[in-house]
Amino acid sequence: WIPSYGRDINAEPGLYDQVMNKAKKTLLHGKTSGYRSQNQISKNLFDRIDANGDGVLQLNEMAAYLKKNTSMANEQIQRLMQVMDADKSGDISREEFEKAFPKVVAGLVRRGSIVVGPSEITESMINSKGTANKV
């Protein structure tokens, strides 16, 4: 806890850094952190989609899950798989999924359906650093 009420955060040496470090620690790694809960959701979703439990997602597993839970068309699912498959192995590893998942949620999926058409899904939407590009 850093009490700062009534103190000038910019005038008092070191106070700004203390407050910012505490905020980063709490928001990124605290018990209720959005970053932490997003990672847990991603891990749980991967496990649900991985029907055969082999630790990678194949097209048939991804298609079965997405067809049941979204209105995505086959070509959208195939393109999403291609874009998420960073190493071009033909399947999605847990690492690839966890890296792409927040960007997919933030930039592509809204209310259970894909926002853009399959030809508009690009690697830059998934593999870019930071947040997903606006479409």
Side-chain angles (χ1 to χ4, degrees):
W1 172 254
I2 302 172
S4 61
Y5 292 100
R7 296 161 65 188
D8 186 345
I9 197 167
N10 296 312
E12 191 173 324
L15 184 57
Y16 175 82
D17 290 332
Q18 282 183 315
V19 170
M20 291 308 293
N21 287 334
K22 180 68 175 181
K24 286 179 190 174
K25 183 178 177 184
T26 301
L27 294 173
L28 292 177
H29 305 292
K31 291 179 188 175
T32 59
S33 130
Y35 176 77
R36 187 180 204 160
S37 61
Q38 167 196 295
N39 285 343
Q40 190 58 49
I41 290 168
S42 172
K43 289 176 198 278
N44 292 343
L45 181 57
F46 183 93
D47 291 339
R48 280 197 306 267
I49 297 171
D50 186 16
N52 66 7
D54 66 353
V56 293
L57 303 179
Q58 289 85 26
L59 178 59
N60 63 330
E61 292 172 313
M62 191 77 118
Y65 183 85
L66 292 173
K67 287 211 166 278
K68 181 179 177 184
N69 295 289
T70 74
S71 60
M72 289 177 67
N74 287 334
E75 56 273 2
Q76 290 173 309
I77 295 169
Q78 289 172 347
R79 182 64 182 139
L80 183 61
M81 283 283 294
Q82 290 171 353
V83 172
M84 291 178 80
D85 184 14
D87 67 3
K88 306 303 179 207
S89 64
D91 51 36
I92 308 296
S93 69
R94 183 178 293 275
E95 183 180 330
E96 288 171 321
F97 185 82
E98 289 175 3
K99 198 177 240 183
F101 176 76
K103 295 173 186 172
V104 169
V105 170
L108 299 177
V109 180
R110 178 177 36 164
R111 295 185 187 153
S113 64
I114 210 84
V115 175
V116 296
S119 63
E120 297 171 283
I121 299 173
T122 64
E123 290 183 23
S124 65
M125 291 176 179
I126 303 296
N127 295 326
S128 63
K129 297 207 187 292
T131 59
N133 295 331
K134 292 189 179 202
V135 291

